[in-house]
């Protein structure tokens, strides 16, 4: 092949490669990896005895993963959720592990085995549901991270959350409106399942 066409071909190939994004550069629009264990606040992966993988309800793009691990002080709950609008979102364990309805109403109401009023997660046991986890706070990127040890949540016994559902709501839980905090529609749902060890 004559030298001039060969040089032209090489220049075109180089230009085409320069326009392609670097395969090693992460796409900032990609949502969280919902197959891996969420990071705990200390930067390590959170140990887990149970997990809920959250999928969006109809018309939403909210996804995430919530892990539950027994500790001497209660159950450590760690969550990473993406696709949220910026701001606060109610975050609860609901009574039925069924996310089949398009709006996740199949998950029923808050998990409340002791028939107590709705309240903040820091409230004493008689003043909150076992499923009252509070709010997630999403940043401008739509991502929320959450971690707390909850002495009211159990992974065994009659008040176990295993087989129940985790719900993320469209709005903020006000902690006072009964019976559920007036947090609005359900934007994501996932069933809590044990992790085979």
């Amino acid at each position: 092949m004559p030298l001039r066409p060969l040089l032209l071909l090489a220049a075109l190939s180089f230009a085409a490669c320069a326009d392609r994004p670097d395969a090693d550069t992460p796409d900032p629009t990609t949502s969280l990896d919902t197959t891996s264990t969420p990071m705990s606040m200390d930067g390590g992966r959170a140990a887990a005895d149970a997990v809920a993988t959250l999928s969006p309800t109809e018309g939403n793009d909210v996804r995430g993963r919530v892990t539950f691990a027994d500790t001497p002080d209660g159950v450590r709950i760690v969550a990473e959720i993406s696709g949220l609008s910026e701001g606060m979102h109610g975050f609860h364990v609901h009574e039925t592990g069924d996310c089949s309805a398009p709006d996740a109403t199949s998950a029923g109401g808050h998990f409340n085995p002791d028939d107590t009023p709705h309240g903040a997660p820091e409230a004493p046991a008689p003043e909150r549901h076992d499923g009252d986890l509070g709010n997630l706070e999403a940043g401008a990127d739509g991502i929320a991270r959450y971690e707390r040890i909850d002495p009211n949540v159990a992974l065994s016994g009659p008040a176990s959350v295993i087989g129940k559902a985790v719900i993320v709501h469209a709005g903020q839980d006000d902690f006072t409106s009964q019976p559920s905090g007036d947090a609005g529609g359900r934007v994501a749902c996932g069933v809590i399942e044990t992790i085979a060890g």
Side-chain angles (χ1 to χ4, degrees):
M1 180 179 272
L3 186 56
R4 178 171 278 182
L6 190 57
L7 289 173
L8 181 60
L9 182 61
L12 289 172
S13 297
F14 178 77
C17 289
D19 288 341
R20 286 191 356 215
D22 185 350
D24 294 331
T25 304
D27 180 355
T29 63
T30 303
S31 64
L32 294 173
D33 177 5
T34 58
T35 60
S36 66
T37 304
M39 298 291 285
S40 65
M41 297 297 189
D42 63 9
R45 289 283 172 194
D49 297 309
V51 64
T53 301
L54 275 59
S55 298
T57 57
E58 190 172 68
N60 295 293
D61 294 312
V62 179
R63 298 179 185 279
R65 195 163 167 90
V66 185
T67 61
F68 300 81
D70 264 324
T71 78
D73 301 314
V75 172
R76 180 186 302 276
I77 303 163
V78 179
E80 291 180 346
I81 313 293
S82 66
L84 294 163
S85 59
E86 186 174 3
M88 305 297 274
H89 299 269
F91 180 54
H92 310 112
V93 175
H94 283 240
E95 62 191 350
T96 305
D98 181 356
C99 297
S100 62
D103 59 359
T105 53
S106 50
H110 291 187
F111 180 51
N112 185 18
D114 298 320
D115 196 27
T116 54
H118 174 66
E122 298 82 13
E127 299 175 17
R128 62 164 280 200
H129 304 150
D130 286 3
D132 289 341
L133 303 182
N135 287 297
L136 301 166
E137 184 171 7
D141 60 358
I143 295 173
R145 292 180 173 85
Y146 174 102
E147 181 175 356
R148 76 183 302 268
I149 294 176
D150 195 318
N152 279 27
V153 173
L155 299 181
S156 61
S160 171
V161 297
I162 303 298
K164 310 304 181 195
V166 174
I167 295 284
V168 178
H169 291 267
Q172 181 172 354
D173 184 335
D174 64 13
F175 302 141
T176 57
S177 299
Q178 300 297 329
S180 59
D182 197 26
R186 304 171 185 201
V187 295
C189 182
V191 178
I192 303 169
E193 300 174 325
T194 55
I195 295 174

